[in-house]
Amino acid sequence: CTSCFRKVPTSNLLTAPCAHQYCPSCLRRMSSTALRNPDMFPAKCCFQEIPTKALVEVMSPRNRKRYILRWEENNIPPIERLYCPRARCSRWIPPKSTETRLGYRVCPHCRAKVCSKCGDLFHLGWSCSKDSEIKAMLQLAKDNNWQRCSNCLYLVEKVDGCNHIVCRCGHRFWYVHVVHALGKKLTLIGK
């Protein structure tokens, strides 16, 4: 095994796309680590994804289900993902989990009805109110020098550390601090 260096029968080893070979216990450990750390998902070797089909064969049933769901979520562009608007839930709603009825989808985790258009709690009888709320949020972001991820549009605030940002969606970008001085807009990297 490439990872633990134990001698294992060749029939028990999985060969990754980069030709490294792993035993089932190391694959389980790699998949568990990937599930705990979004930056490391999906499990990779030499920057190449280890096939999900091979990983799920050695996982526990609980981790198998979690891994497949995370893999499906990561394969949908971030801007197209729908998350439960309830703060206590906030989980991803898989597209195939519920069908759209009357403009809403049901969160499979907490059973909340979620508007398919705006992602807020379902609001039959009035239009989506996100436009004015988005404008207010973007103004607040501008006032506080927050930035939006160019991949998923999630708002990010730099608190400390270097100017290299890794969003929750995995996209990497540089924090740019904008300073207004005497009516002129100056763009500075960092603070």
Side-chain angles (χ1 to χ4, degrees), residues 54-65:
L55 286 172
V56 297
E57 289 177 8
V58 298
M59 290 181 189
S60 68
R62 181 175 176 261
N63 278 351
R64 182 179 304 135
K65 184 177 179 179

Side-chain angles (χ1 to χ4, degrees), residues 67-125:
Y67 197 92
I68 290 170
L69 277 173
R70 177 83 52 83
W71 186 85
E72 289 173 351
E73 179 182 1
N74 281 8
N75 283 314
I76 294 175
I79 198 81
E80 295 174 19
R81 296 178 196 160
L82 183 64
Y83 293 90
C84 182
R86 285 189 173 162
R88 289 187 178 185
C89 182
S90 300
R91 293 169 68 185
W92 175 61
I93 302 173
K96 65 181 180 183
S97 66
T98 61
E99 58 186 70
T100 303
R101 299 180 207 151
L102 299 172
Y104 71 86
R105 301 215 346 242
V106 177
C107 173
H109 312 288
C110 71
R111 309 303 301 159
K113 293 178 183 176
V114 181
C115 177
S116 300
K117 283 185 178 180
C118 69
D120 205 352
L121 289 173
F122 184 61
H123 43 83
L124 183 63

